[in-house]
Amino acid sequence: RLEAFASARLATLREELQHVVDEVANEAGPRGLESLHPQCAKDFDRAEFEIGGRSFSVAAAASSGDKELALAEFACCLLEECGSATLAYVISALASQLSMAKLSALCYSGPHGYAVPSGYTVPRYIVQHRGDSVAVEIIRVSEGFQHFSLAGGDPYECHQSSFIKQHARVLLHEELVESSGGPGRLQLAVEDVWEAMRILWPDERVVEKDGLELNFRSPIRDSEQTGMCYVDLRSLPRAAVVAFLGRLSGGGASVQAGLAAVVHMVVEAVRQYVSAEKQKVDE
């Protein structure tokens, strides 16, 4: 099931977001500095935005007492990062619920399958100029909740460390028309898309649904696909290696003790590796 979602997700997301780009670009027309796509303007102050390194936090505009001014500053910041009013308008559509809904629908862990209480899900959008393209990251994180429910079902209690994450990174650039050298169609590419979830019962056992443990990242990383990890023995403490080699000359119990010491260090190195990989998923 996860492989099916992963294999279809990237191509389908690219196709659907390219359709959004084409539609929005056609309706864009000349835009003023204050112009944003209506959905982005609606999402502003309800989601986290990072535009070229400047952050716009949830409810910060409302707290400032002048939301209209904050929205105008946001639009100007987006225009500066994108370089043109038309491109900024299209990017603002991508950095909105229009894209988030399509990403979530293509994820096994999406709200169509798993629901959490309101207030625990934060959408986040990152926009950054990159060469002749503009990158947009679309991030949906649900964490800290203590109840979840399956589609149309009753809520279940769960451990507070449970989480659901969905992430996509897309690039948008403008192709030039060869005959005139002028601007052409805006082309979208999906650089990366993944989901991760961990749902635990209150006693921290992993929840299972139809035989699937709800503790995964899809697609899995290359390092996880092999089911192996490699430990650089050169990283073992020199004193321990010297002691082990010294025991080899003693034979018998000395060799066994030396081997036990090295195995212990290797096991500890593996434990640290697994812990680091788990932390990457959490992030």
Side-chain angles (χ1 to χ4, degrees), residues 103-268:
L103 171 63
S104 296
L106 293 171
C107 290
Y108 176 84
S109 61
H112 56 280
Y114 300 90
V116 302
S118 61
Y120 291 94
T121 300
V122 178
R124 187 173 183 228
Y125 306 96
I126 302 175
V127 177
Q128 189 170 32
H129 183 81
R130 190 195 298 176
D132 60 353
S133 304
V134 178
V136 182
E137 289 189 61
I138 306 158
I139 306 165
R140 183 177 185 270
V141 177
S142 303
E143 57 187 358
F145 53 90
Q146 294 179 278
H147 294 85
F148 77 99
S149 60
L150 304 178
D154 295 327
Y156 297 96
E157 285 190 45
C158 62
H159 195 271
Q160 197 171 7
S161 65
S162 300
F163 65 77
I164 300 174
K165 300 179 181 181
Q166 291 135 19
H167 177 279
R169 183 172 60 251
V170 303
L171 284 178
L172 193 67
H173 72 279
E174 193 168 48
E175 288 190 335
L176 298 180
V177 179
E178 293 184 5
S179 58
S180 64
R185 185 189 187 198
L186 290 170
Q187 291 286 349
L188 181 136
V190 178
E191 268 198 341
D192 188 29
V193 56
W194 56 267
E195 64 176 312
M197 72 184 303
R198 183 173 67 212
I199 307 294
L200 305 178
W201 294 119
D203 62 2
E204 298 190 64
R205 289 180 297 113
V206 176
V207 174
E208 288 189 20
K209 181 176 182 288
D210 298 330
L212 174 67
E213 287 194 347
L214 302 184
N215 184 22
F216 63 82
R217 183 190 191 275
S218 172
I220 60 176
R221 294 186 177 90
D222 291 340
S223 60
E224 295 171 331
Q225 289 178 342
T226 62
M228 300 173 63
C229 67
Y230 298 89
V231 178
D232 188 352
L233 296 180
R234 292 172 298 180
S235 65
L236 297 176
R238 182 176 181 276
V241 175
V242 169
F244 167 65
L245 293 176
R247 287 174 176 175
L248 286 179
S249 61
S254 295
V255 174
Q256 292 180 359
L259 283 172
V262 172
V263 167
H264 173 76
M265 286 183 286
V266 171
V267 169
E268 178 62 20

Side-chain angles (χ1 to χ4, degrees), residues 38-162:
Q39 185 61 56
C40 184
K42 182 178 180 179
D43 293 341
F44 178 70
D45 220 33
R46 300 179 181 180
E48 292 182 355
F49 290 88
E50 184 177 325
I51 312 297
R54 181 175 175 183
S55 297
F56 297 85
S57 302
V58 175
S63 299
S64 70
D66 195 338
K67 186 174 180 179
E68 292 302 318
L69 177 60
L71 185 61
E73 291 177 352
F74 172 76
C76 288
C77 188
L78 187 64
L79 175 63
E80 182 179 354
E81 192 66 20
C82 295
S84 76
T86 299
L87 184 57
Y89 184 78
V90 176
I91 289 293
S92 72
L94 288 176
S96 77
Q97 185 62 26
L98 292 179
S99 296
M100 187 67 73
K102 295 187 180 299
L103 171 63
S104 296
L106 293 171
C107 290
Y108 176 84
S109 61
H112 56 280
Y114 300 90
V116 302
S118 61
Y120 291 94
T121 300
V122 178
R124 187 173 183 228
Y125 306 96
I126 302 175
V127 177
Q128 189 170 32
H129 183 81
R130 190 195 298 176
D132 60 353
S133 304
V134 178
V136 182
E137 289 189 61
I138 306 158
I139 306 165
R140 183 177 185 270
V141 177
S142 303
E143 57 187 358
F145 53 90
Q146 294 179 278
H147 294 85
F148 77 99
S149 60
L150 304 178
D154 295 327
Y156 297 96
E157 285 190 45
C158 62
H159 195 271
Q160 197 171 7
S161 65
S162 300

